[in-house]
Amino acid sequence: RGEFLVLDGLGMGVFTSNGPVIALDHGASPLASCLIGGTTAIGGGILRDVLVNEVPLLLQRDFYAVPALLGSALVVAVSEWGSGTDVALVVGTVFASALRLVALWRNWGLPGPRVVE
């Protein structure tokens, strides 16, 4: 399972960056491009889990969507600063994948609901 999650983290980084780059190349706004990047990464992960009949990582309070959305925002920011989409693609992929892999290594998760008594 550990090797699978490492490869999943790398794939999530690639999908995180490809979505906004394609959207920007087709004239989408920066906000729309950022949301498209997050949607491609998160949606791809959910689809993968559903196809193998597992509960999606997103529903298990896993640290999955945050790296995807931050990486997507970084791709848009780097591209808008004039570095071009090639540099943005590499920067976003490395950042999102690294954040996801660090989260796996450190066992980071999102907080659950608080119990009010």
Side-chain angles (χ1 to χ4, degrees):
R1 178 125 175 113
E3 298 85 11
F4 165 76
L5 290 175
V6 169
L7 293 174
D8 176 63
L10 297 173
M12 185 270 304
V14 170
F15 280 97
T16 294
S17 298
N18 278 333
V21 165
I22 292 171
L24 287 170
D25 285 345
H26 284 85
S29 71
L31 178 61
S33 300
C34 184
L35 293 175
I36 288 170
T39 302
T40 56
I42 296 165
I46 290 173
L47 183 61
R48 179 210 56 239
D49 289 338
V50 167
L51 287 175
V52 296
N53 201 25
E54 291 184 4
V55 176
L57 292 174
L58 188 68
L59 300 177
Q60 298 178 22
R61 294 194 303 257
D62 201 48
F63 199 72
Y64 195 85
V66 174
L69 292 171
L70 290 177
S72 180
L74 185 61
V75 168
V76 171
V78 169
S79 180
E80 290 294 310
W81 286 334
S83 295
T85 54
D86 293 338
V87 173
L89 183 71
V90 172
V91 169
T93 299
V94 169
F95 176 79
S97 295
L99 186 57
R100 173 71 177 137
L101 294 175
V102 168
L104 288 170
W105 173 54
R106 303 288 295 164
N107 293 320
W108 291 348
L110 297 176
R114 287 189 288 168
V115 177
V116 179
E117 295 180 20

